[in-house]
PDB file of all heavy atoms in Angstrom:
ATOM      1  N   THR A 732      34.401 -13.491  21.869  1.00  0.00           N
ATOM      2  CA  THR A 732      35.222 -14.618  22.332  1.00  0.00           C
ATOM      3  C   THR A 732      36.551 -14.077  22.824  1.00  0.00           C
ATOM      4  O   THR A 732      37.214 -13.292  22.128  1.00  0.00           O
ATOM      5  CB  THR A 732      35.464 -15.636  21.211  1.00  0.00           C
ATOM      6  OG1 THR A 732      34.192 -16.123  20.750  1.00  0.00           O
ATOM      7  CG2 THR A 732      36.283 -16.811  21.714  1.00  0.00           C
ATOM      8  N   THR A 733      36.947 -14.465  24.018  1.00  0.00           N
ATOM      9  CA  THR A 733      38.157 -13.938  24.640  1.00  0.00           C
ATOM     10  C   THR A 733      38.884 -15.053  25.375  1.00  0.00           C
ATOM     11  O   THR A 733      38.286 -16.096  25.703  1.00  0.00           O
ATOM     12  CB  THR A 733      37.800 -12.778  25.601  1.00  0.00           C
ATOM     13  OG1 THR A 733      38.989 -12.177  26.093  1.00  0.00           O
ATOM     14  CG2 THR A 733      36.976 -13.283  26.773  1.00  0.00           C
ATOM     15  N   ASP A 734      40.179 -14.836  25.627  1.00  0.00           N
ATOM     16  CA  ASP A 734      40.982 -15.862  26.301  1.00  0.00           C
ATOM     17  C   ASP A 734      41.032 -15.673  27.809  1.00  0.00           C
ATOM     18  O   ASP A 734      41.390 -16.606  28.531  1.00  0.00           O
ATOM     19  CB  ASP A 734      42.405 -15.857  25.733  1.00  0.00           C
ATOM     20  CG  ASP A 734      42.428 -16.237  24.262  1.00  0.00           C
ATOM     21  OD1 ASP A 734      41.994 -17.351  23.943  1.00  0.00           O
ATOM     22  OD2 ASP A 734      42.862 -15.402  23.451  1.00  0.00           O
ATOM     23  N   ALA A 735      40.718 -14.484  28.295  1.00  0.00           N
ATOM     24  CA  ALA A 735      40.759 -14.222  29.736  1.00  0.00           C
ATOM     25  C   ALA A 735      39.902 -13.002  30.045  1.00  0.00           C
ATOM     26  O   ALA A 735      39.745 -12.110  29.207  1.00  0.00           O
ATOM     27  CB  ALA A 735      42.194 -13.993  30.202  1.00  0.00           C
ATOM     28  N   VAL A 736      39.347 -12.980  31.249  1.00  0.00           N
ATOM     29  CA  VAL A 736      38.462 -11.891  31.660  1.00  0.00           C
ATOM     30  C   VAL A 736      38.894 -11.384  33.037  1.00  0.00           C
ATOM     31  O   VAL A 736      39.151 -12.178  33.944  1.00  0.00           O
ATOM     32  CB  VAL A 736      36.986 -12.354  31.723  1.00  0.00           C
ATOM     33  CG1 VAL A 736      36.089 -11.203  32.181  1.00  0.00           C
ATOM     34  CG2 VAL A 736      36.527 -12.882  30.369  1.00  0.00           C
ATOM     35  N   VAL A 737      38.972 -10.052  33.158  1.00  0.00           N
ATOM     36  CA  VAL A 737      39.200  -9.422  34.460  1.00  0.00           C
ATOM     37  C   VAL A 737      37.916  -8.692  34.847  1.00  0.00           C
ATOM     38  O   VAL A 737      37.433  -7.834  34.103  1.00  0.00           O
ATOM     39  CB  VAL A 737      40.371  -8.424  34.424  1.00  0.00           C
ATOM     40  CG1 VAL A 737      40.580  -7.815  35.816  1.00  0.00           C
ATOM     41  CG2 VAL A 737      41.642  -9.108  33.950  1.00  0.00           C
ATOM     42  N   LEU A 738      37.370  -9.036  35.991  1.00  0.00           N
ATOM     43  CA  LEU A 738      36.120  -8.452  36.465  1.00  0.00           C
ATOM     44  C   LEU A 738      36.423  -7.318  37.440  1.00  0.00           C
ATOM     45  O   LEU A 738      36.685  -7.547  38.620  1.00  0.00           O
ATOM     46  CB  LEU A 738      35.266  -9.514  37.154  1.00  0.00           C
ATOM     47  CG  LEU A 738      34.906 -10.741  36.303  1.00  0.00           C
ATOM     48  CD1 LEU A 738      34.206 -11.784  37.151  1.00  0.00           C
ATOM     49  CD2 LEU A 738      34.035 -10.323  35.128  1.00  0.00           C
ATOM     50  N   ALA A 739      36.395  -6.106  36.940  1.00  0.00           N
ATOM     51  CA  ALA A 739      36.557  -4.938  37.813  1.00  0.00           C
ATOM     52  C   ALA A 739      35.155  -4.452  38.175  1.00  0.00           C
ATOM     53  O   ALA A 739      34.761  -3.317  37.887  1.00  0.00           O
ATOM     54  CB  ALA A 739      37.361  -3.854  37.102  1.00  0.00           C
ATOM     55  N   THR A 740      34.411  -5.338  38.813  1.00  0.00           N
ATOM     56  CA  THR A 740      32.982  -5.135  39.048  1.00  0.00           C
ATOM     57  C   THR A 740      32.674  -4.713  40.475  1.00  0.00           C
ATOM     58  O   THR A 740      31.528  -4.795  40.918  1.00  0.00           O
ATOM     59  CB  THR A 740      32.214  -6.419  38.692  1.00  0.00           C
ATOM     60  OG1 THR A 740      32.894  -7.559  39.257  1.00  0.00           O
ATOM     61  CG2 THR A 740      32.150  -6.598  37.187  1.00  0.00           C
ATOM     62  N   GLY A 741      33.675  -4.270  41.203  1.00  0.00           N
ATOM     63  CA  GLY A 741      33.444  -3.663  42.501  1.00  0.00           C
ATOM     64  C   GLY A 741      33.316  -4.647  43.647  1.00  0.00           C
ATOM     65  O   GLY A 741      33.650  -5.838  43.520  1.00  0.00           O
ATOM     66  N   TYR A 742      32.799  -4.136  44.751  1.00  0.00           N
ATOM     67  CA  TYR A 742      32.744  -4.874  46.005  1.00  0.00           C
ATOM     68  C   TYR A 742      31.368  -4.696  46.648  1.00  0.00           C
ATOM     69  O   TYR A 742      30.647  -3.740  46.357  1.00  0.00           O
ATOM     70  CB  TYR A 742      33.828  -4.371  46.975  1.00  0.00           C
ATOM     71  CG  TYR A 742      35.231  -4.569  46.449  1.00  0.00           C
ATOM     72  CD1 TYR A 742      35.778  -3.676  45.526  1.00  0.00           C
ATOM     73  CD2 TYR A 742      36.008  -5.649  46.856  1.00  0.00           C
ATOM     74  CE1 TYR A 742      37.058  -3.855  45.030  1.00  0.00           C
ATOM     75  CE2 TYR A 742      37.297  -5.837  46.363  1.00  0.00           C
ATOM     76  CZ  TYR A 742      37.807  -4.938  45.450  1.00  0.00           C
ATOM     77  OH  TYR A 742      39.079  -5.124  44.947  1.00  0.00           O
ATOM     78  N   ARG A 743      31.016  -5.618  47.499  1.00  0.00           N
ATOM     79  CA  ARG A 743      29.786  -5.535  48.276  1.00  0.00           C
ATOM     80  C   ARG A 743      30.131  -5.726  49.744  1.00  0.00           C
ATOM     81  O   ARG A 743      31.155  -6.339  50.080  1.00  0.00           O
ATOM     82  CB  ARG A 743      28.795  -6.624  47.841  1.00  0.00           C
ATOM     83  CG  ARG A 743      28.276  -6.471  46.426  1.00  0.00           C
ATOM     84  CD  ARG A 743      27.382  -5.247  46.282  1.00  0.00           C
ATOM     85  NE  ARG A 743      26.769  -5.169  44.969  1.00  0.00           N
ATOM     86  CZ  ARG A 743      27.312  -4.590  43.906  1.00  0.00           C
ATOM     87  NH1 ARG A 743      28.513  -4.030  44.013  1.00  0.00           N
ATOM     88  NH2 ARG A 743      26.665  -4.539  42.751  1.00  0.00           N
ATOM     89  N   GLU A 744      29.267  -5.202  50.611  1.00  0.00           N
ATOM     90  CA  GLU A 744      29.489  -5.370  52.046  1.00  0.00           C
ATOM     91  C   GLU A 744      29.535  -6.866  52.394  1.00  0.00           C
ATOM     92  O   GLU A 744      28.715  -7.642  51.929  1.00  0.00           O
ATOM     93  CB  GLU A 744      28.370  -4.690  52.835  1.00  0.00           C
ATOM     94  CG  GLU A 744      28.383  -3.170  52.721  1.00  0.00           C
ATOM     95  CD  GLU A 744      27.181  -2.528  53.381  1.00  0.00           C
ATOM     96  OE1 GLU A 744      26.420  -3.255  54.061  1.00  0.00           O
ATOM     97  OE2 GLU A 744      26.995  -1.312  53.218  1.00  0.00           O
TER      98      GLU A 744
END
Side-chain angles (χ1 to χ4, degrees):
T732 301
T733 186
D734 296 300
V736 179
V737 181
L738 302 173
T740 46
Y742 298 80
R743 294 292 186 272
E744 292 174 8

